[in-house]
Amino acid sequence: MKYNFSDRISALQPSAIREILKMSSDPQVISLAAGNPAPEAFPTQAIADISKQVLEQNPIGALQYSLTEGYPALRNSMKDFTFNQYGIGKEFDELIIVSGAQQGIELTCKVLCNEGDTIICENPSFIGSLNSFRSYNTNLVGIEMADDGINTDELEKALASHPNTKFIYVIPNFQNPTGKTMSYEKRKRVYELAKEYQVMILEDNPYGDLRFEGEDLPSIKSMDTEGLVIYVGSFSKVLSPGMRVGYLIAPQDVIGKVVVAKQCADVHSNMLAQIICEKFMTSYDIEGHLNRLKEIYKHKCTLMLSEMDRHFASSVHYTRPQGGLFIWCTLPDHVDMIDFCKRAVTDYKVAVVPGSAFTVEEGVPTQSFRINFSTPTDEQIVKGIEILGKITQELC
Amino acid sequence: MKYNFSDRISALQPSAIREILKMSSDPQVISLAAGNPAPEAFPTQAIADISKQVLEQNPIGALQYSLTEGYPALRNSMKDFTFNQYGIGKEFDELIIVSGAQQGIELTCKVLCNEGDTIICENPSFIGSLNSFRSYNTNLVGIEMADDGINTDELEKALASHPNTKFIYVIPNFQNPTGKTMSYEKRKRVYELAKEYQVMILEDNPYGDLRFEGEDLPSIKSMDTEGLVIYVGSFSKVLSPGMRVGYLIAPQDVIGKVVVAKQCADVHSNMLAQIICEKFMTSYDIEGHLNRLKEIYKHKCTLMLSEMDRHFASSVHYTRPQGGLFIWCTLPDHVDMIDFCKRAVTDYKVAVVPGSAFTVEEGVPTQSFRINFSTPTDEQIVKGIEILGKITQELC
């Protein structure tokens, strides 16, 4: 049989960078290509204890069908947490539990966008979100980023020239892949522009709880007096990505439609994981846990940056993130970035992700690549960066 | 802000039957409206034991990011199980773990259908699947069912008159909502027609392991020599729906596209649940467990049917399922079915689901309603059916 796939899925072609990513799974390779939490960051004992308690005391509650909106106690504790921690949540807002932030992002696109509608994104941006948007045949417009976040003048031009824009997608804290943080002024400006052009904002904040340097900046959602902002949070970086639990906070009308879409997508999210998250949020020392994570990531990031400072050719530029998991390196113009990444993994067994994976327009050349500091051990960081440094000395 | 939702989601309107379903959550109401496994059907001790063992021995494996395709050991054990049990799985086939059968059904639609493409369904059919299909703006064509399944003459006409048909959606065993089982002859005929018209078949088999009477019939997938059939199975009815684990078996090319779509949807399914399913499949007495479930459901179904035989007016007709969870009742033409269901829940505190929830064309009148026998206790079955019987005696 000749299979005819939908246009939206046919458009999602495996790209040249897959080859490089595949090689990073070779155990001989030092992978700086992942985006995984550090193994030592998981509160494994707490999760084991909670799971045991739940499956002893209320197994049916954890195993039976449940509500699409999510486990009510978890919804309440996340409303409290985001309100107390970040001032998020107005009277008109509601919260739904989703199967990881990825699902929240996909459902937002599904409920807001017809095929051909425009989504404005930071460029580069998170490949998972870009592919979700592409999978609904939307029109993606990328806006370049400065060190303090999206270029708001270009954003305004894009809004003016794309009247079919449905939302602006941003990751204001320690962005993936760049590690950049959007300044307070730009957050305000993005909100103002959304209000002026009556488009929504999808604010993706998977790393916000992992600031290990500098001061927290207000989320865009905390400025939301008009009901323009959809905020997506995640347990993946603070508790466990394998559990696939995230949450979406948005005006009730939007959440109502997301509930309908989620019912079609997976009925509801895994119940045991939702109960574990709730018990962890309410019965454990969250602040202590987050402080421990910040220590781990601060140490790893500081180590990696100091090794990069020592070994990298001075013509290579890179970001100095204040949180999150990623550093963004940019090679001088005369170096072929894809060739650099290929050589690193093939000849030297160190994997990084070519920046072309994250560009909004596919196939546009870029000089950058992404390095992850959360997953490798200290030894792997030292050795991996030393090797990358040698290649930069050779080629740059 | 005035919210503009996508056409596909705007089309999914909350319907009149929601009111009735809402009332069924009143604890005073005997609900025969659910589709939940019996609480006593869960192997709670086994799940608690496995979970404890996994979180002690390999917590990181259960908590870290994993593969979109699913936990490799579970994929292998489900390939073995479906091959040995049902003769499913050819050389050209592959298996992906999904977040419940619902996700498998949605992703199938997403990868195969453009907006406006036709999906041919049994009429009535499972509302969750119909809504998934509607959420991609597809064109649904319903084919009436006889007691032995879909009318294959009408199916052929529909295939001939809808050249943009992408697949035929069927639930051959103890269909939801009718409880009907498709005969062997019709299974063969459906496959032949799919082959002749070069369309795919989505075979949904959530209840196939729960046959408590009669002989198993070959699945359509087991006849699939051409790579036409996508088979979706689920752990929801045999282990736990709250875990949200299902699987899709289809030709490799199709699974490849489903993997891409699933990556956009939720990256991968909850890992702990996948490991629990795998350990349960390989370390416990599955056959003994399924036999226990069959006993439970046979008892409940037999009890419900005998009470219906005693109490229902003779002008009311109903199916006698050989498995699954549901009985389909049809009122005589002069009775207003919606009024019957409303009166049952409002005045008599017994909830059933109006058949209009399951019609492929929305708003088409039907005389039928669905009763569930798996969730209520024996006492609730006896009392609920006695009450429904009284209403039939009054109105029919």
Side-chain angles (χ1 to χ4, degrees):
Chain A
M1 163 123 184
K2 194 190 156 293
Y3 303 109
N4 290 312
F5 297 107
S6 62
D7 298 337
R8 64 175 86 84
I9 289 297
S10 303
L12 283 176
Q13 290 302 335
S15 69
I17 67 141
R18 294 242 172 161
E19 195 189 320
I20 293 174
L21 288 175
K22 259 187 198 162
M23 295 176 83
S24 79
S25 67
D26 174 350
Q28 301 249 296
V29 165
I30 296 178
S31 177
L32 309 177
N36 293 8
E40 63 269 33
F42 295 104
T44 52
Q45 192 56 53
I47 292 174
D49 291 346
I50 294 170
S51 172
K52 181 167 180 285
Q53 188 198 349
V54 171
L55 289 173
E56 269 170 12
Q57 292 175 3
N58 180 23
I60 303 303
L63 300 175
Q64 188 56 281
Y65 276 118
S66 187
L67 302 171
T68 303
E69 290 84 347
Y71 178 46
L74 179 62
R75 296 175 68 201
N76 288 334
S77 63
M78 293 321 295
K79 283 181 194 173
D80 290 348
F81 178 80
T82 50
F83 187 79
N84 296 331
Q85 201 84 357
Y86 302 119
I88 286 175
K90 297 282 189 302
E91 268 189 15
F92 52 71
D93 280 321
E94 194 41 274
L95 183 149
I96 180 176
I97 303 297
V98 287
S99 304
Q102 180 77 39
Q103 184 182 53
I105 290 161
E106 195 206 27
L107 295 182
T108 296
C109 181
K110 186 170 183 181
V111 305
L112 290 181
C113 296
N114 289 320
E115 298 196 357
D117 280 348
T118 293
I119 301 170
I120 300 180
C121 307
E122 295 163 326
N123 190 26
S125 188
F126 172 47
I127 186 172
S129 300
L130 298 178
N131 278 342
S132 265
F133 302 155
R134 290 175 184 132
S135 82
Y136 287 97
N137 265 347
T138 55
N139 172 42
L140 300 187
V141 174
I143 306 292
E144 297 307 311
M145 295 174 77
D147 282 345
D148 62 347
I150 196 166
N151 182 323
T152 47
D153 295 337
E154 293 299 317
L155 174 60
E156 180 162 20
K157 281 186 208 156
L159 284 164
S161 59
H162 294 90
N164 69 343
T165 299
K166 283 300 180 69
F167 64 90
I168 305 163
Y169 172 66
V170 288
I171 309 170
N173 294 315
F174 334 122
Q175 200 237 18
N176 180 358
T178 63
K180 291 176 182 174
T181 292
M182 195 189 295
S183 67
Y184 179 52
E185 290 64 36
K186 285 196 168 173
R187 291 171 195 231
K188 280 195 296 187
R189 184 69 186 137
V190 168
Y191 184 76
E192 277 162 22
L193 286 171
K195 187 172 153 187
E196 186 182 335
Y197 285 88
Q198 286 289 292
V199 303
M200 299 201 73
I201 296 167
L202 175 57
E203 181 177 25
D204 185 9
N205 193 22
Y207 319 112
D209 302 310
L210 297 179
R211 175 182 281 278
F212 47 70
E213 227 179 83
E215 293 295 314
D216 274 343
L217 294 174
S219 68
I220 303 176
K221 182 65 182 163
S222 70
M223 308 168 185
D224 186 19
T225 49
E226 320 277 317
L228 302 177
V229 185
I230 300 170
Y231 177 92
V232 58
S234 173
F235 282 93
S236 292
K237 306 306 180 292
V238 297
L239 194 54
S240 150
M243 298 203 308
R244 312 304 310 129
V245 182
Y247 49 96
L248 209 66
I249 302 173
Q252 284 155 21
D253 287 359
V254 177
I255 294 293
K257 293 295 181 188
V258 172
V259 170
V260 171
K262 181 168 168 65
Q263 179 105 46
C264 297
D266 65 357
V267 190
H268 65 79
S269 299
N270 180 285
M271 268 308 287
L272 178 58
Q274 291 189 64
I275 300 175
I276 290 173
C277 289
E278 194 273 327
K279 299 258 182 263
F280 190 78
M281 292 301 293
T282 54
S283 318
Y284 283 75
D285 173 17
I286 287 297
E287 211 182 308
H289 171 68
L290 292 178
N291 285 337
R292 199 174 70 84
L293 295 192
K294 289 176 198 175
E295 282 307 310
I296 294 172
Y297 293 123
K298 181 182 182 141
H299 166 77
K300 283 175 184 276
C301 182
T302 307
L303 176 64
M304 186 173 268
L305 284 170
S306 72
E307 294 300 304
M308 290 167 76
D309 293 343
R310 265 177 71 192
H311 295 293
F312 273 29
S314 61
S315 58
V316 181
H317 297 286
Y318 40 89
T319 55
R320 304 191 87 89
Q322 299 190 310
L325 314 177
F326 305 111
I327 297 171
W328 186 243
C329 298
T330 304
L331 299 170
D333 286 347
H334 67 274
V335 181
D336 182 326
M337 183 275 299
I338 291 280
D339 177 64
F340 180 98
C341 296
K342 270 192 188 155
R343 196 182 286 205
V345 72
T346 313
D347 300 348
Y348 299 90
K349 307 286 182 199
V350 178
V352 299
V353 186
S356 42
F358 308 100
T359 50
V360 172
E361 270 186 81
E362 289 173 296
V364 169
T366 162
Q367 286 303 100
S368 303
F369 60 91
R370 191 190 77 177
I371 316 187
N372 164 261
F373 54 81
S374 63
T375 318
T377 61
D378 286 6
E379 292 69 36
Q380 289 173 322
I381 288 175
V382 170
K383 195 170 163 199
I385 295 298
E386 188 186 342
I387 293 169
L388 287 182
K390 266 191 206 150
I391 315 176
T392 67
Q393 299 293 350
E394 258 177 57
L395 297 180
C396 301
Chain B
M1 163 119 185
K2 197 190 155 291
Y3 302 110
N4 291 311
F5 298 107
S6 63
D7 299 338
R8 64 174 86 85
I9 289 299
S10 303
L12 283 176
Q13 290 302 334
S15 71
I17 67 139
R18 293 242 172 163
E19 196 189 323
I20 294 174
L21 288 175
K22 259 188 198 161
M23 294 177 83
S24 78
S25 67
D26 175 351
Q28 301 250 297
V29 166
I30 295 177
S31 176
L32 309 177
N36 293 7
E40 63 268 33
F42 295 105
T44 52
Q45 192 56 53
I47 292 174
D49 291 346
I50 294 170
S51 172
K52 181 166 178 285
Q53 189 199 348
V54 171
L55 289 173
E56 269 169 12
Q57 291 174 5
N58 180 21
I60 304 302
L63 299 175
Q64 190 56 282
Y65 277 116
S66 188
L67 302 170
T68 302
E69 290 84 348
Y71 178 47
L74 178 62
R75 296 175 68 201
N76 288 334
S77 63
M78 292 321 295
K79 284 180 194 171
D80 291 347
F81 178 80
T82 50
F83 187 79
N84 297 330
Q85 200 85 358
Y86 302 118
I88 286 175
K90 298 280 190 300
E91 266 189 19
F92 53 69
D93 281 320
E94 194 40 273
L95 183 148
I96 180 177
I97 303 297
V98 286
S99 303
Q102 180 77 40
Q103 185 181 54
I105 290 161
E106 196 206 26
L107 296 182
T108 297
C109 180
K110 186 170 183 180
V111 305
L112 290 181
C113 295
N114 289 322
E115 299 197 356
D117 280 348
T118 293
I119 301 170
I120 301 181
C121 309
E122 295 163 325
N123 189 27
S125 189
F126 171 47
I127 185 171
S129 299
L130 298 179
N131 277 342
S132 266
F133 302 154
R134 289 175 185 134
S135 82
Y136 287 97
N137 268 346
T138 54
N139 173 42
L140 301 187
V141 173
I143 306 292
E144 299 306 310
M145 296 174 77
D147 283 344
D148 63 347
I150 196 165
N151 182 322
T152 47
D153 295 338
E154 293 298 320
L155 173 61
E156 180 162 20
K157 280 185 208 157
L159 284 164
S161 60
H162 294 90
N164 68 343
T165 299
K166 282 302 179 70
F167 63 92
I168 305 164
Y169 172 67
V170 289
I171 309 170
N173 293 316
F174 334 121
Q175 198 237 18
N176 180 0
T178 63
K180 292 174 182 175
T181 292
M182 195 189 294
S183 68
Y184 179 52
E185 289 66 34
K186 285 198 168 173
R187 291 172 195 231
K188 280 196 295 188
R189 184 70 185 132
V190 168
Y191 184 77
E192 278 163 21
L193 286 170
K195 188 172 152 185
E196 185 180 336
Y197 286 89
Q198 286 291 290
V199 303
M200 300 202 73
I201 296 168
L202 176 57
E203 180 177 27
D204 185 11
N205 192 23
Y207 319 112
D209 302 310
L210 298 179
R211 175 182 281 278
F212 47 71
E213 229 180 81
E215 293 294 315
D216 274 343
L217 294 174
S219 67
I220 303 176
K221 182 64 181 162
S222 70
M223 308 169 186
D224 187 18
T225 50
E226 318 277 317
L228 300 177
V229 186
I230 300 169
Y231 177 91
V232 56
S234 174
F235 282 92
S236 291
K237 305 307 182 291
V238 298
L239 193 55
S240 150
M243 296 202 310
R244 314 302 310 127
V245 182
Y247 49 96
L248 208 66
I249 303 172
Q252 284 155 21
D253 287 357
V254 176
I255 294 293
K257 294 294 182 187
V258 172
V259 170
V260 171
K262 180 167 168 66
Q263 178 104 48
C264 298
D266 64 357
V267 189
H268 65 80
S269 298
N270 180 287
M271 268 308 287
L272 179 58
Q274 292 189 65
I275 301 174
I276 289 172
C277 289
E278 195 273 328
K279 299 257 180 266
F280 190 78
M281 291 303 293
T282 53
S283 316
Y284 284 76
D285 173 17
I286 288 298
E287 211 181 310
H289 171 68
L290 292 178
N291 285 338
R292 199 173 71 82
L293 296 192
K294 290 176 196 173
E295 282 306 311
I296 294 172
Y297 292 124
K298 182 183 181 137
H299 166 77
K300 283 176 184 276
C301 182
T302 307
L303 175 65
M304 187 173 266
L305 285 170
S306 72
E307 293 299 304
M308 290 168 75
D309 294 344
R310 264 178 73 193
H311 296 292
F312 273 30
S314 61
S315 58
V316 180
H317 298 285
Y318 39 89
T319 54
R320 305 191 86 88
Q322 300 190 310
L325 313 177
F326 304 111
I327 297 171
W328 187 242
C329 299
T330 304
L331 299 169
D333 285 346
H334 66 274
V335 180
D336 181 326
M337 183 276 297
I338 291 281
D339 177 63
F340 179 98
C341 297
K342 268 192 189 157
R343 197 183 285 204
V345 72
T346 313
D347 299 349
Y348 299 90
K349 307 285 181 200
V350 179
V352 299
V353 185
S356 42
F358 307 100
T359 52
V360 172
E361 269 187 80
E362 290 173 296
V364 170
T366 163
Q367 287 303 102
S368 303
F369 60 91
R370 189 190 79 177
I371 317 188
N372 163 262
F373 54 80
S374 63
T375 318
T377 62
D378 286 6
E379 292 70 36
Q380 289 172 322
I381 289 176
V382 170
K383 196 169 163 200
I385 295 299
E386 188 186 342
I387 292 169
L388 287 181
K390 268 190 204 151
I391 315 178
T392 67
Q393 298 294 351
E394 258 176 55
L395 297 181
C396 301

